[in-house]
């Protein structure tokens, strides 16, 4: 927490309504996740903080797991795949863009 206390956060992109009232299809979710991952991959920052809808993060954390993670820790893999974050919940993720053998 101390590390983030002095971190400047640019929240200008979330001052207006940025969400839709329509339910996303699986294809739309996959496209949104791909777009987000592309943004993160090309970001000049070492760390980023994301704010969003819990079901979006459930899709990201459940569907984009490396098979080695599923094999190494099936309990957490299952939790990420089948549970959503609580309201105001947080999760820390480490992304490795050098790994290419995920099905998405």
């Amino acid at each position: 927490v101390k590390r983030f206390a002095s971190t400047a956060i640019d929240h200008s992109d979330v001052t207006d309504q940025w969400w839709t009232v329509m339910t996303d299809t699986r294809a739309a979710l996959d496209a949104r996740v791909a777009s987000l991952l592309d943004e993160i991959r090309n970001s000049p920052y070492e760390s980023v903080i994301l704010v969003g809808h819990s079901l979006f993060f459930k899709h990201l954390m459940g569907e984009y797991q490396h098979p080695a993670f599923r094999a190494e820790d099936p309990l957490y893999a299952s939790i990420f795949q089948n549970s959503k974050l609580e309201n105001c919940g947080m999760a820390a993720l480490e992304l490795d863009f050098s790994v290419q053998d995920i099905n998405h």
Side-chain angles (χ1 to χ4, degrees), residues 44-64:
Y45 304 106
E46 183 177 320
S47 299
V48 296
I49 297 172
L50 305 173
V51 177
H53 196 278
S54 60
L55 293 176
F56 176 79
F57 289 115
K58 176 185 173 189
H59 185 74
L60 169 67
M61 293 187 299
E63 297 298 320
Y64 289 79

Side-chain angles (χ1 to χ4, degrees), residues 1-101:
V1 174
K2 289 180 183 179
R3 192 170 93 190
F4 297 109
S6 63
T7 302
I9 298 174
D10 177 7
H11 57 80
S12 61
D13 285 344
V14 295
T15 57
D16 297 321
Q17 183 174 338
W18 48 268
W19 61 91
T20 66
V21 294
M22 298 172 19
T23 303
D24 286 326
T25 64
R26 182 171 181 88
L29 270 174
D30 286 338
R32 287 177 54 208
V33 168
S35 177
L36 171 68
L37 293 175
D38 191 49
E39 286 285 329
I40 294 170
R41 180 184 299 114
N42 294 307
S43 170
Y45 304 106
E46 183 177 320
S47 299
V48 296
I49 297 172
L50 305 173
V51 177
H53 196 278
S54 60
L55 293 176
F56 176 79
F57 289 115
K58 176 185 173 189
H59 185 74
L60 169 67
M61 293 187 299
E63 297 298 320
Y64 289 79
Q65 296 175 5
H66 191 276
F69 173 69
R70 289 185 181 135
E72 179 181 316
D73 203 332
L75 175 62
Y76 275 114
S78 176
I79 289 171
F80 288 143
Q81 194 163 26
N82 298 304
S83 304
K84 72 179 193 93
L85 292 173
E86 295 180 17
N87 290 342
C88 300
M90 293 187 278
L93 304 176
E94 182 176 317
L95 304 177
D96 183 353
F97 291 108
S98 68
V99 176
Q100 299 296 320
D101 60 347

